[in-house]
Amino acid sequence: MLRGYQAGDLEAMYALDVACFEKPFRFTRGAMRRFAEAKKARVVIAEEGDVLVGFVILHIEEAKEGRVGYIITLDVAPELRRRGIAGVLMTEAARQAQVDGCAVLVLHVFTGNEAAIRFYAGTGFVRSHRAEGFYGPGVDAWVYHKPLLSLND
Ligand SMILES: CC(C)(COP(=O)(O)OP(=O)(O)OC[C@H]1O[C@@H](n2cnc3c(N)ncnc32)[C@H](O)[C@@H]1OP(=O)(O)O)[C@@H](O)C(=O)NCCC(=O)NCCS
């Protein structure tokens, strides 16, 4: 089941992020709260029963070329991977970005994150360039983007 963010989700989101990422890729509690509770944030939570099993945080950014949906993070519980949860979360995040008038989704991913790179490559994202030192000295990211159809077309 998918739903929106509630303040009580923060601890489970933080714990899942710790399970998903090593330093320097994981967020502090404070950063997670700021990202999830920003006015421009759209958060999609995946739940099984009453257990939070995945989430995506999207920010709606104003850019020169128009609105951009920036994926802050996408996390799925390790024991529940390869069941399509990330696919469902990203489909809903893309829909919400379209509703907010975004023409494109953009994200950074660590160049060594094979699972995520395969996921994005298989779900319509296109690699645009390498962001050197994005995660710290010598720790680079790939930048991916995915065009979105306008809901007015
Ligand atoms: C990347 C991640 C979100 C994928 O979540 P998921 O729920 O397992 O993904 P899905 O089940 O929707 O995968 C859809 C497809 O993506 C590809 N894929 C996903 N994980 C993969 C892996 N480990 N190896 C190869 N392909 C993979 C496959 O094509 C898969 O389809 P298939 O299972 O039918 O072969 C998950 O591995 C994760 O949370 N990783 C840690 C956090 C992270 O790196 N987030 C992204 C940060 S930018």
Side-chain angles (χ1 to χ4, degrees):
M1 196 197 92
L2 298 183
R3 61 168 176 79
Y5 172 79
Q6 298 157 4
D9 291 326
L10 195 75
E11 203 50 41
M13 289 168 70
Y14 173 70
L16 181 52
D17 203 58
V18 168
C20 284
F21 292 103
E22 305 285 331
K23 284 182 183 170
F25 305 106
R26 67 169 65 136
F27 294 130
T28 61
R29 264 192 197 81
M32 182 69 83
R33 180 189 298 278
R34 283 193 297 280
F35 283 124
E37 298 186 358
K39 202 167 168 213
K40 61 187 173 183
R42 310 286 179 269
V43 181
V44 188
I45 305 275
E47 247 182 0
E48 281 200 358
D50 57 359
V51 179
L52 187 153
V53 296
F55 67 93
V56 57
I57 303 177
L58 162 78
H59 278 186
I60 308 296
E61 302 285 358
E62 302 291 344
K64 256 190 299 187
E65 326 70 56
R67 282 196 183 155
V68 170
Y70 183 72
I71 302 296
I72 299 284
T73 193
L74 168 66
D75 295 30
V76 172
E79 65 280 13
L80 295 174
R81 291 188 185 155
R82 305 301 292 269
R83 289 180 27 181
I85 294 174
V88 169
L89 284 167
M90 285 295 282
T91 299
E92 175 58 14
R95 192 193 66 77
Q96 294 197 15
Q98 281 177 306
V99 168
D100 273 298
C102 296
V104 65
L105 288 179
V106 176
L107 59 86
H108 287 82
V109 57
F110 170 47
T111 52
N113 190 341
E114 285 299 325
I117 287 169
R118 283 172 186 267
F119 171 74
Y120 294 128
T123 52
F125 280 85
V126 180
R127 185 181 287 182
S128 40
H129 62 278
R130 191 178 187 106
E132 286 186 14
F134 182 78
Y135 293 108
V139 191
D140 299 347
W142 292 118
V143 180
Y144 277 81
H145 70 277
K146 179 177 180 173
L148 298 174
L149 290 178
S150 163
L151 291 182
N152 299 321
D153 286 347

